Amino acid sequence: MEWSLRLLACLVGILPIGSFVRTKRDTTGNLLNTEVHSAPAQRWSMHVPAEVSAAAGEAAVLPCTFTHPHRHYDGPLTAIWRAGEAYAGPQVFRCAAARGSELCQTALSLHGRFRLLGNPRRNDLSLRVERLALADDGRYFCRVEFAGDVHDRYESRHGIRLRVTAAPRIVNLSVLPGPAHSFRALCTAEGEPPPVLDWSGPALGNGSAAVPGPGQGQGHGHQVTAELPALVHDGRYTCTASNSLGRAEASVYLFRFHGASGASSLALPLGALGLKALLLLGVMAARAVARRRPEHPVAQDTPPRPQAQESNYENLSQMSPRDPPAATCLP
């Protein structure tokens, strides 16, 4: 008994951490043999950061590494990335590696903007996303699948939050008719953080607060809409969108024309056209003035062309008797 205890102590001293010893004895209690079993050194796990941030138009890298319970695995494997929801979200990237190969052949890359940076054979599923847009903002989940047992696959549960930032951009500026020949204006902008919208114009001053647009509330995703309820005075009305990354603005000009047929209005949005639109408006006004001028007849320099007289047979039959008779040729 003392000898067996010394043997076990020696074995425990040289075994790696996580191993255990199982002994078998006969009915008399004598030691028959000793079996050494090694517990798996690792288990399934995913390691991802909580959040990655990048600007719209640039590229972002989503890091993802994993561990598995196999000491060595060179069989077929598949790497997958999902968006929105773990296990059920739509796939944005998928690649597969054959047995013994370190090349993971791409089978799916949404819009061609997703590319695998890591090597799944080395437990790395890191992904690169090109040409970021605000629509890419959201949560992403990495997954690896080994061929064989259904348990040989694993996916991150919480995923990575990809935050896409962008300076403001005005996507729509419209003018709509209102009651009693009035107008109202709507301005929609997008950005991240969501921009703040302000209206300025005649009798409004600068930095006037905007009213949230109908049905839009304060924002819709990365977009915000604000309404200017009434455009009362002629002139320029400007919508300004701003956040911590910048600002953008767009304007609309309101003009009212008073003619003989009554009053009419023209609302002209100005963005990239700028002064060209104003010049065009001036030409249109000049033409309208020219049309109101009275027309004067123009004297002809050349005499009028003579016109052939029509024959009047009635006059021939009513000739005076004093007129000489017409000559007649007899046979």
Side-chain angles (χ1 to χ4, degrees), residues 257-260 281-295:
F257 297 97
H258 301 276
L281 185 63
V283 172
M284 294 171 59
R287 289 183 178 179
V289 173
R291 289 174 182 173
R292 297 196 192 99
R293 294 179 179 176
E295 296 182 356

Side-chain angles (χ1 to χ4, degrees), residues 194-330:
V196 176
L197 299 184
D198 289 316
W199 280 101
S200 61
L204 293 178
N206 295 324
S208 62
V211 178
Q216 294 289 335
Q218 293 295 337
H220 181 72
H222 303 282
Q223 292 189 351
V224 177
T225 298
E227 176 184 1
L228 189 60
L231 281 65
V232 179
H233 303 281
D234 290 0
R236 176 181 177 180
Y237 294 85
T238 300
C239 174
T240 302
S242 59
N243 65 9
S244 58
L245 300 178
R247 56 180 290 161
E249 66 177 29
S251 298
V252 60
Y253 282 79
L254 180 68
F255 297 95
R256 288 179 174 84
F257 297 97
H258 301 276
S261 60
S264 61
S265 301
L266 173 64
L268 180 65
L270 291 183
L273 295 179
L275 294 177
K276 293 182 180 179
L278 285 179
L279 294 177
L280 177 61
L281 185 63
V283 172
M284 294 171 59
R287 289 183 178 179
V289 173
R291 289 174 182 173
R292 297 196 192 99
R293 294 179 179 176
E295 296 182 356
H296 300 283
V298 180
Q300 296 182 355
D301 295 335
T302 59
R305 297 175 59 184
Q307 298 181 355
Q309 295 181 358
E310 297 180 355
S311 300
N312 193 335
Y313 293 99
E314 294 181 357
N315 293 338
L316 291 177
S317 61
Q318 298 177 1
M319 294 179 61
S320 172
R322 298 178 182 178
D323 295 338
T328 303
C329 295
L330 297 176

Side-chain angles (χ1 to χ4, degrees), residues 15-16 18-22 35-39:
L15 289 177
S19 301
F20 60 93
V21 178
R22 178 180 297 169
E35 298 177 355
V36 179
H37 299 267
S38 296

Side-chain angles (χ1 to χ4, degrees), residues 7-317:
L7 176 61
L8 288 176
C10 292
L11 288 173
V12 172
I14 62 175
L15 289 177
I17 298 176
S19 301
F20 60 93
V21 178
R22 178 180 297 169
T23 60
K24 293 184 180 180
R25 299 175 180 275
D26 59 13
T27 55
T28 61
N30 295 324
L31 182 65
L32 293 179
N33 56 29
T34 302
E35 298 177 355
V36 179
H37 299 267
S38 296
Q42 293 178 328
R43 57 184 179 85
W44 280 111
S45 66
M46 287 284 182
H47 305 280
V48 297
E51 182 175 305
V52 170
S53 180
E58 299 181 356
V61 175
L62 307 180
C64 175
T65 58
F66 67 95
T67 63
H68 59 81
H70 304 279
R71 292 191 177 278
H72 179 71
Y73 178 81
D74 62 353
L77 62 82
T78 302
I80 297 173
W81 279 86
R82 301 182 189 274
E85 182 181 358
Y87 306 108
Q91 296 183 11
V92 297
F93 179 85
R94 184 177 70 254
C95 70
R99 179 179 296 275
S101 173
E102 292 197 355
L103 177 62
C104 199
Q105 294 282 355
T106 300
L108 170 66
S109 176
L110 187 64
H111 307 309
R113 298 187 299 114
F114 295 82
R115 181 168 60 91
L116 189 69
L117 284 185
N119 185 348
R121 293 292 182 193
R122 300 182 182 180
N123 302 353
D124 191 349
L125 304 177
S126 299
L127 189 73
R128 180 182 176 90
V129 187
E130 304 283 351
R131 305 186 305 276
L132 286 172
L134 284 174
D136 296 321
D137 189 280
R139 196 164 291 277
Y140 292 82
F141 305 85
C142 51
R143 176 183 178 90
V144 62
E145 297 179 353
F146 289 171
D149 195 290
V150 68
H151 299 293
D152 279 347
R153 56 198 63 187
Y154 198 78
E155 182 169 339
S156 58
R157 296 182 180 180
H158 303 290
I160 307 172
R161 168 65 194 278
L162 174 59
R163 185 180 299 276
V164 181
T165 60
R169 183 174 72 94
I170 295 179
V171 297
N172 183 52
L173 182 64
S174 58
V175 177
L176 304 175
H181 304 288
S182 64
F183 289 90
R184 60 189 180 94
L186 289 177
C187 177
T188 301
E190 66 178 10
E192 182 60 36
V196 176
L197 299 184
D198 289 316
W199 280 101
S200 61
L204 293 178
N206 295 324
S208 62
V211 178
Q216 294 289 335
Q218 293 295 337
H220 181 72
H222 303 282
Q223 292 189 351
V224 177
T225 298
E227 176 184 1
L228 189 60
L231 281 65
V232 179
H233 303 281
D234 290 0
R236 176 181 177 180
Y237 294 85
T238 300
C239 174
T240 302
S242 59
N243 65 9
S244 58
L245 300 178
R247 56 180 290 161
E249 66 177 29
S251 298
V252 60
Y253 282 79
L254 180 68
F255 297 95
R256 288 179 174 84
F257 297 97
H258 301 276
S261 60
S264 61
S265 301
L266 173 64
L268 180 65
L270 291 183
L273 295 179
L275 294 177
K276 293 182 180 179
L278 285 179
L279 294 177
L280 177 61
L281 185 63
V283 172
M284 294 171 59
R287 289 183 178 179
V289 173
R291 289 174 182 173
R292 297 196 192 99
R293 294 179 179 176
E295 296 182 356
H296 300 283
V298 180
Q300 296 182 355
D301 295 335
T302 59
R305 297 175 59 184
Q307 298 181 355
Q309 295 181 358
E310 297 180 355
S311 300
N312 193 335
Y313 293 99
E314 294 181 357
N315 293 338
L316 291 177
S317 61

